[in-house]
Structure formats: structure tokens, C-alpha cells
Amino acid sequence: MFSKDEIIVAYTLEKCKSCNMERKRKFKKGDYLFTETSKCDSCDGIMQIEKIFGEIIEKS
Amino acid sequence: MVDFTNIDLDQLFGFSDDSNPLLMLVWILPIIIFIFYGQRIQLQVTSGEIKKAIKKLDGYRTEARTELIDYVKKNMSPSEDPTKKIDRFLDYFTIMPVDMDPNGVVDKVRHTLRAREDYSRNHVKSLSPDSNELELSKVITLLEIATSLHMIYKIVNHMYLTAKKQNNYPLILPLQMILPFIMEEAEAITKAIPAFQLGQPVGDGIGPMIVGKMMLDTKKELVAFQTVLGEKEYNGRKLFLLKAEGPGSNVGRPGDAVESIVAKNKPDIIIMVDAALKMEGEDSAITAQGFGAAIGGIGTERFQIEDIATKNNIPIFAIVIKQSIKEAITLMTKDIANQAENVTSQINEMIQDNTKPGQKVLLIGVGNTIGVPQ
């Protein structure tokens, strides 16, 4: 059995296809793996969703 | 006057005298009560625990039903109120074929299940004919969740009420023993609802996620119902990459797909990547390699793949990513997602070790592909 007070937050990890820079942000509806999202901040590459996962942030 | 401050307990209960009738009554009365009413007392105690569990199960099924109806109303814009149709579907049942003569039973099971799947799809589509495949697949899965929780509640409640009605304690024992497992599964199924509503990848999707990434730059074709095939080269080997069609909530039909691929391009080895249930005490997200068809479900797909592999003398290798039932059907954990690179390198190593340049490899990412395109 698992705790009722467990809070799982969904995150989206984006990765630049050119410089491999990673950016982690909260998941938003419409995020799907491997979709291209935005331009990279450090180079002109395209950011692609690499992973979508949940992290437990609180447990009592 | 009685002096209550100076009572001799030994004298009162006759601890020093074995023939005291009051002491004998204190010992004998409970024994008599337990001989005649022991089972009823146990039934009452156990009933309390089971009643609490049934109340929880009732809450889960109500939550699943409400979430499903709300989701359909918000996302499918049905022309009429879908409540009545959904409620009717919750009580649908599947009668498994007779297995007294097991010959050909797998085909019968497959036929029955596919007829049910087709009916579910058409039924959901009739709620809103213009809905896209992604929304349709999500609603079908939410419907399956609601149906499963509804059925679990009904079965547990039936077993409990039968034991109560017959005042039969032994009848309630099997239920008491399996109830913790049922509750764990029901809780996990309920917690799976948000992931399917939002289209997030679940732990079971790790296989399709790994193969889907390898398929990104390939030309894809539908090789069986809701099952996609891509081809690419790796170190002189030809890879056939197979997974369910994402990002909808599908598991595809890998059995039919393998049959079609083997008929056209017989592979030299098959590698299957899937999530597997971890044992108690095992860490989550660890990987293991083995032999044989790594695919869950009722067994029809596994039977088909094993049958084709045996007839064509193709060895099947498996890589599994261990996880709990809850992790398999809820949002993928970070630990499981982080295994993707490791498993990819294990696949490459496996191909390198077991094939020669010029040979063909069929790589199958097994599991629900919700949130995982290709």
C-alpha cells in the first residue's frame, strides 16, 4: 500500500538536439515524448522532449 | 461497613484455592462462549475490516466513473448525455471459452477479446463520432479502468455478503487472505486515471519509449492494427523496430505484426523489451536479461509470438525493466525513465553479441504506448 499524502509532480525534460543542453520544467498538457518544443537558449538548436516522469516531492 | 481499602484479591478470587467456583467460572465461561460462538465472533471482527475495504472499493469505482463521464463531456463534446451509455457498458462481461478441450482455445480467447475490443471502440466512438484516435484510445482505457474497478467491487461485495448471509466464517477466509492484494491493485488502478487523462507515459511504456526513440528518423508503416514498424541499419545489421502506435493508449497487436514481418523478412533473432513486475524486496527500475517472449496480458500474443518463433527457429531474447504494479500503470518514475539509455546500450550489445553483419534483428518495444510517439 502507499501513502495517501504522497504528492507526485510530473516533469518534462527537454534536450537540445545540437548541444545536448537539458532543461527540466513542469509537465503541461499536450507534452508528448520526442516532440520538438522550442529553440535552445544556448545555441540555435531545437529542444526536444526527452523524458516525462514523476517525482515525489512530499510524503508524510 | 465494608473496608474497600483492604480487599484481599487472593481471598476474593481464591487464587490460593483451586476449588473456588468464581475462578472456575472466569476460566470456563469464555471457553464455552468460544466453543459455540467463536466463529461468529471471528466473522464479526473480520467483517469490520472487510466492510471498510468494500467502502474504499466503492469510492474507487465511483471516482473512476465520475472521472470518465467528466472526461467524455469535456473532451469529446458528445451530442447527448453519455452517462446512460457509460453506465450500461460498466456492467458488460466477457465469458471465456470452455477449456475442457484445450485444443484451439487460444484462438477462441483471442476472438472473444478482440470482439470485445472492437465493440468497446465502436461504443466509445458512437459517443462522439468526430473524436480523434488519441482521445478515443484514452477514453477506452478510462472505460476499462472504470469497468475493472466496478467488477472488483461487485465480486468482493458478493463474497462478503454470501459469507454474512450464511453466517459462515470459513467462507470469508479466502476473501480475507486475498483482500490486501486486491486493495493494492484497485488503489493502483485508481491512481492510473490522471496519467491516462493527461496522456503521460506510464511505467509500462518504457519498452515503447526506448524503441520509439530508435524509430524517430525512420520511415514508419502500419504493419498490424495499431502497430507500427520502422527499419534502420545498425553496424551492418538490419533492424526491424516494432511498437504500438503512439501517443495513444494502445498496446498494439505484436503477435499479428511478428507474423507479418517473419513472412516477408525472416529475422535471425527477436529482442523484446518490456516492463516486468518486480519481486518483493527487489529494487525498482533494475534491468534483467533473459530468454523467451517478454510480453504480459492474457497470453494470446505471447502464444502467437512463441509459435512463430518456434516454427521458424528464431531465438527470442528479452530485456525487462522491473517495477511494481503501481509503477507500471501510473506516471513513469524518474528512475524508470533514466534506464532508457542503459537499456539502449544493452540492446546494442545484445545485437552485437548475437548476430553477424548482414543479419536481421526484430526489436519489439512491448507495453502501453500512452504519451510515446515514434
Side-chain angles (χ1 to χ4, degrees), chain B residues 20-66:
Chain B
N20 188 309
L22 188 60
L23 182 69
M24 281 174 71
L25 205 65
V26 166
W27 285 108
I28 291 169
L29 204 64
I31 293 170
I32 293 170
I33 291 170
F34 274 104
I35 286 172
F36 291 105
Y37 298 101
Q39 286 203 348
R40 287 190 184 192
I41 293 167
Q42 280 177 301
L43 184 66
Q44 286 303 321
V45 173
T46 315
S47 289
E49 291 167 18
I50 295 174
K51 248 196 261 179
K52 272 186 214 163
I54 289 174
K55 206 176 163 192
K56 260 188 173 180
L57 288 175
D58 193 23
Y60 292 155
R61 72 163 181 158
T62 310
E63 187 187 334
R65 177 185 169 273
T66 314

Side-chain angles (χ1 to χ4, degrees), chain B residues 52-315:
Chain B
K52 272 186 214 163
I54 289 174
K55 206 176 163 192
K56 260 188 173 180
L57 288 175
D58 193 23
Y60 292 155
R61 72 163 181 158
T62 310
E63 187 187 334
R65 177 185 169 273
T66 314
E67 290 285 344
L68 169 63
I69 293 168
D70 288 351
Y71 189 86
V72 170
K73 281 181 182 172
K74 272 185 204 161
N75 297 281
M76 292 184 82
S77 332
S79 48
E80 56 186 81
D81 188 11
T83 313
K84 211 174 154 189
K85 268 188 171 181
I86 287 171
D87 278 340
R88 202 173 57 210
F89 196 83
L90 291 179
D91 272 321
Y92 264 80
F93 54 86
T94 310
I95 302 168
M96 281 297 156
V98 175
D99 57 1
M100 281 186 288
D101 176 9
N103 182 35
V105 77
V106 177
D107 288 337
K108 290 181 195 167
V109 172
R110 186 187 297 122
H111 169 70
T112 308
L113 293 179
R114 286 192 178 170
R116 186 190 165 115
E117 277 171 28
D118 292 342
Y119 176 80
S120 303
R121 199 171 301 106
N122 293 335
H123 180 87
V124 171
K125 205 162 190 174
S126 73
L127 295 170
S128 174
D130 300 329
S131 293
N132 60 42
E133 284 297 316
L134 177 62
E135 287 304 327
L136 213 59
S137 72
K138 285 186 194 174
V139 173
I140 290 168
T141 308
L142 291 172
L143 188 61
E144 278 169 14
I145 288 174
T147 313
S148 305
L149 289 169
H150 184 69
M151 199 52 90
I152 291 172
Y153 167 79
K154 277 175 75 172
I155 293 169
V156 172
N157 199 35
H158 163 77
M159 289 169 84
Y160 166 72
L161 290 177
T162 308
K164 283 283 277 185
K165 191 176 161 190
Q166 307 293 339
N167 240 338
N168 189 338
Y169 177 65
L171 214 56
I172 216 165
L173 275 176
L175 179 60
Q176 192 191 11
M177 283 190 285
I178 59 165
L179 201 58
F181 302 101
I182 293 174
M183 292 308 291
E184 194 177 351
E185 198 156 328
E187 212 168 331
I189 295 172
T190 311
K191 296 217 170 188
I193 295 170
F196 287 99
Q197 283 174 330
L198 293 166
Q200 294 166 333
V202 293
D204 186 43
I206 184 72
M209 177 177 150
I210 292 160
V211 177
K213 194 175 179 189
M214 294 170 84
M215 283 169 91
L216 280 180
D217 301 321
T218 64
K219 194 183 162 206
K220 270 106 24 195
E221 60 166 316
L222 262 182
V223 69
F225 182 69
Q226 292 180 337
T227 315
V228 192
L229 174 73
E231 290 176 31
K232 75 188 290 187
E233 292 283 327
Y234 172 75
N235 275 1
R237 283 88 168 163
K238 191 165 190 184
L239 302 189
F240 295 95
L241 308 164
L242 189 74
K243 75 180 272 291
E245 189 181 18
S249 173
N250 306 314
V251 289
R253 289 186 179 166
D256 287 353
V258 170
E259 198 168 343
S260 161
I261 295 163
V262 171
K264 287 179 203 159
N265 288 291
K266 191 188 150 192
D268 295 284
I269 65 164
I270 297 174
I271 300 175
M272 299 181 80
V273 185
D274 193 11
L277 281 185
K278 73 181 180 81
M279 289 181 186
E280 285 301 330
E282 266 188 327
D283 286 333
S284 186
I286 56 167
T287 62
Q289 294 187 9
F291 302 94
I295 184 166
I298 200 155
T300 51
E301 298 293 328
R302 197 168 102 198
F303 178 89
Q304 201 175 357
I305 293 169
E306 286 168 349
D307 191 43
I308 299 159
T310 308
K311 280 177 185 159
N312 291 279
N313 196 24
I314 306 168

Side-chain angles (χ1 to χ4, degrees), chain A:
Chain A
M1 300 275 179
F2 32 89
S3 167
K4 275 185 177 174
D5 300 305
E6 210 172 70
I7 297 171
I8 297 170
V9 178
Y11 289 101
T12 298
L13 185 82
E14 296 172 328
K15 193 174 179 182
C16 175
K17 286 164 92 173
S18 310
C19 69
N20 289 333
M21 191 198 74
E22 289 184 342
R23 190 167 59 199
K24 186 177 151 187
R25 60 167 172 82
K26 283 203 173 167
F27 171 88
K28 56 176 191 258
K29 204 179 170 192
D31 279 352
Y32 293 111
L33 284 173
F34 318 133
T35 46
E36 293 173 353
T37 52
S38 56
K39 278 201 166 180
C40 176
D41 292 336
S42 56
C43 71
D44 256 356
I46 305 282
M47 299 293 280
Q48 179 179 282
I49 295 179
E50 183 78 2
K51 283 169 190 163
I52 293 170
F53 54 82
E55 274 185 303
I56 299 168
I57 57 156
E58 201 176 292
K59 199 178 174 182
S60 57

